[in-house]
């Protein structure tokens, strides 16, 4: 018999070779029907795979992220089976699960393929799902694997097998389709009840632009038909909120091929919004003891050789900038941190000076493949709301708590109230791959966990997810449509202080290394604005709206009065404009509604005679009349809340 520990801590005995499915069955039949896979000692396994020794087991269903991703990855196999049945000779690259659904990269040879083919494939998938074919795992030798795919003529699978060590290779077969895969998968295809193919795109084999472009087919599947229709409704809403569409309609930002792909141009209204975000955070940072610094957009090659960024970004990113001086090379900065390390070094620091906190809205440049670019969320140049804190090891916890406060303040002011904190720690089984002393790591890791707990953050701890240079805390935010975004990040770094030989004099009069903390509540302004636009559907909080009101004169007769009203309202916190077009008032109101301007001030004969304005609120309609001064007071009250 073996002992199986369940997530609630209870221990049950089973025969050696039992499976997650049998464990589920011993608890309840209903549970067994819903088990997709299981986490066995932290690794996701097939529910049908025999467990041979004592283990801790977590049964995974559709409600678990790992369960969903197993479901979707298995659906990629199912789609491949359908493609092979419909289009014999199709070759297959990789077919992973993604955040929502899955894709498979395939080579159709000379066959033309388009979304017109989706329906036929979807029907085939459902037909094959109904067959309830088991996903059968079979370990094979490397020679067997090579033989199978050589015979099949699938060079992509052969390319993948090349990198796999013998003895580690498994095949999975469902129905008539066999794939190279390490698994895991759901028990059988019958779990898939609804499918929708979403998109088709080109994707270079192994992301390498010099290799063949394959066809990437994206799909999503569900265990219930009703979940698919809910999902499709959400997608419709997401399309309406797409920041690329709203960014154009609200005249916030634009792209120009002449300027270069992935390089956003901020239009006047977008700039106004961005400036408000910057000022808002800057004010909060000054209060929290940050000092503002400014550093150049480029740096000498040696700076990035020292920091290690040259190795990380050098060959795969923007290439060096040369000068008339022989051998002199500069790089567009991929990170602000190296510059800030040099600022730290401009004078000797004592333990009493720490922490020091340097903040900069620093623009950085990183090359992204053109196919990866997406609106403001994936760009080639972006501005981080960056800061680097240099502190003593005993100050890490206090600094984390302060940064958490700042992040919560930012989220609160912008209406993000659904989030979790993900704490990424070392892999305890593999401590040697991390830089920094064991003692400092333990100190920092418990500091982060305690800081998150003391601030009452809903926290998930991920072992082995830390960077090699330090543990971190990321804020995962759920937006109004339930989509998850990684926004704020706080990261400990033992690497750069070492590389830049940063020091402070301790109370013992000896030299010590400070701990460096990178943090960015927004992440980048570009990405943050994109997420914010989609979260609030372009209806920004009043304080942030680029135009808080618009004055709509009924005809040109009232222009002078309209201008007087505007003059009395505009100041540094309140901003509006007049619609002077020769249009009917109904049209002007409709256009202002489309632009999501929070308040409309309508001015006609009666308003001018009474020295008032008629007020309309976006999405709500008529609010009656008041004087310009009454409106201003109301607005100020609303934006200071
Ligand atoms: Zn697989
Ligand atoms: Zn940094």
């Amino acid at each position: 018999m073996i002992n199986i520990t369940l997530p609630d801590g209870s221990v049950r005995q089973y025969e050696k070779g039992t499976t997650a499915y049998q464990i589920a069955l011993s608890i309840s039949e209903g549970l067994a029907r819903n088990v997709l896979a299981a986490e066995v000692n932290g690794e996701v396994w097939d529910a049908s795979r025999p467990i041979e020794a004592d283990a801790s087991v977590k049964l995974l269903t559709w409600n678990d992220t790992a369960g969903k991703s197993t479901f979707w990855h298995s659906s990629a196999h199912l789609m491949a089976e359908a493609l092979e049945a419909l289009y014999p000779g199709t070759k297959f690259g990789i077919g992973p699960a993604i955040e929502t659904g899955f894709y498979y990269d395939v080579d159709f040879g000379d066959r033309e393929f388009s979304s017109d083919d989706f329906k036929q494939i979807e029907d085939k998938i459902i037909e094959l799902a109904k067959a309830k074919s088991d996903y059968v795992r079979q370990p094979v030798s490397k020679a067997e694997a090579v033989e199978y795919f050589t015979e099949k003529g699938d060079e992509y699978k052969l390319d993948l097998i090349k990198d796999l060590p013998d003895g580690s290779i498994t095949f999975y077969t469902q129905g008539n389709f066999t794939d190279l895969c390490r698994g895991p998968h759901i028990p059988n295809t019958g779990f898939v009840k609804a499918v929708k193919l979403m998109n088709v795109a080109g994707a270079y084999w192994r992301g390498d632009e010099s290799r063949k472009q394959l066809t990437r087919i994206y799909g999503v599947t569900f265990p219930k038909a009703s979940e698919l229709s809910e999902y499709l409704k959400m997608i419709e809403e997401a399309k309406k909120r797409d920041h690329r569409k709203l960014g154009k309609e609200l005249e916030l930002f634009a792209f120009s091929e002449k300027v270069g792909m992935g390089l956003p141009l901020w239009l006047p209204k977008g700039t106004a919004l961005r400036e408000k975000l910057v000022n808002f955070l800057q004010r909060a940072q000054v209060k929290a003891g940050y000092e503002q610094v400014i550093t150049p957009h480029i740096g000498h090659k040696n700076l990035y050789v020292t920091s290690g960024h040259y190795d990380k970004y050098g060959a795969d990113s923007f290439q060096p900038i040369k000068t008339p001086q022989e051998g002199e090379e500069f790089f567009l900065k991929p990170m602000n941190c190296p510059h800030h390390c040099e600022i730290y070094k401009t004078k000797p620091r004592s333990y009493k000076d720490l922490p020091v906190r340097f903040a900069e809205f620093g623009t950085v440049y990183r090359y992204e493949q053109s196919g990866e670019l997406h609106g403001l969320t994936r760009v080639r140049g972006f501005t981080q709301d960056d800061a680097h804190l240099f502190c003593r090891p005993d100050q890490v916890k206090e600094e984390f708590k302060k940064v958490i406060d700042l992040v919560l303040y930012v989220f609160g002011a912008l209406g993000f109230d659904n989030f979790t904190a993900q704490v990424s720690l070392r892999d305890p089984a593999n401590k040697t791959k991390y830089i920094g002393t064991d003692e400092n790591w333990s100190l920092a890791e418990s500091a982060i966990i305690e800081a998150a707990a003391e601030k009452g953050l809903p926290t998930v701890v991920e072992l082995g997810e830390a960077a090699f240079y330090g543990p971190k805390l990321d804020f995962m935010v759920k937006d109004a449509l339930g989509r998850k975004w990684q926004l704020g990040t706080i990261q400990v770094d033992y690497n750069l202080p070492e590389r830049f030989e940063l020091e402070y004099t301790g109370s013992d009069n000896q030299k010590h290394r400070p701990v460096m903390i990178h943090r960015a509540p927004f992440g980048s302004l570009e990405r943050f604005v994109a997420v914010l636009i989609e979260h609030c559907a372009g209806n920004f909080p009043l304080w942030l709206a680029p135009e808080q009101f618009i004055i709509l004169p009924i005809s040109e007769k009232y222009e002078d009065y309209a201008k007087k009203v505007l003059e009395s309202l505009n100041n540094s916190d309140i901003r509006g404009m007049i619609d002077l077009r020769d249009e009917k008032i109904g049209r002007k109101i409709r256009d202002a509604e489309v632009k999501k301007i929070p308040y409309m001030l309508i001015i006609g004969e009666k308003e001018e005679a009474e020295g008032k304005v008629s007020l309309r609120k976006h999405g709500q309609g008529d609010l009656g009349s008041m004087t310009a001064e009454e409106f201003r007071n109301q607005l100020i009250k609303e934006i200071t809340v």
Side-chain angles (χ1 to χ4, degrees), residues 335-337 386-388 516 518:
M335 294 273 217
N336 302 301
C337 347
D386 212 356
H388 296 97
M516 184 172 179
H518 313 250

Side-chain angles (χ1 to χ4, degrees), residues 291-391:
E291 296 170 288
Q292 205 67 29
V293 296
I294 296 174
T295 65
H297 287 240
I298 65 173
H300 197 281
K301 177 181 168 183
N302 289 344
L303 177 70
Y304 303 117
V305 170
T306 301
S307 69
H309 293 117
Y310 179 73
D311 283 341
K312 189 167 174 220
Y313 295 106
D316 299 325
S317 197
F318 289 111
Q319 293 305 291
I321 300 161
K322 301 210 162 121
T323 70
Q325 185 74 38
E326 177 114 19
E328 195 174 53
E329 287 185 351
F330 290 85
F331 280 84
L332 284 167
K333 80 173 160 187
M335 294 273 217
N336 302 301
C337 347
H339 295 73
H340 292 188
C341 287
E342 286 298 302
I343 291 179
Y344 179 89
K345 285 182 85 164
T346 52
K347 64 179 187 185
R349 311 274 175 183
S350 124
Y351 70 98
K352 287 186 197 156
D353 304 330
L354 302 185
V356 291
R357 310 179 186 92
F358 298 138
E360 174 174 19
F361 288 88
T363 305
V364 296
Y365 301 88
R366 296 177 202 164
Y367 178 76
E368 301 273 358
Q369 284 190 6
S370 54
E372 303 285 323
L373 297 172
H374 181 91
L376 288 182
T377 54
R378 282 295 277 276
V379 285
R380 287 174 174 169
F382 55 94
T383 302
Q384 296 177 312
D385 56 327
D386 212 356
H388 296 97
L389 323 181
F390 301 88
C391 65

Side-chain angles (χ1 to χ4, degrees), residues 280-281 283-285 287-290 357 389 396-414 416 419 421 448 450-457 473 475 488-490 519-522:
F280 158 74
L281 186 56
R283 275 199 300 270
Q285 284 180 168
K287 261 193 219 155
Y290 288 72
R357 310 179 186 92
L389 323 181
V396 170
K397 180 174 163 186
E398 210 40 49
E399 286 309 298
F400 256 81
K401 281 168 71 174
K402 284 188 183 152
V403 179
I404 291 171
D405 281 339
L406 194 64
V407 173
L408 296 184
Y409 173 66
V410 169
F411 286 180
L414 293 161
F416 292 108
F419 55 83
I448 297 174
E450 283 168 28
E454 284 172 32
K455 288 292 164 191
L457 294 184
L473 187 157
F475 285 85
T489 179
I490 321 173
R519 48 104 280 184
F522 296 150

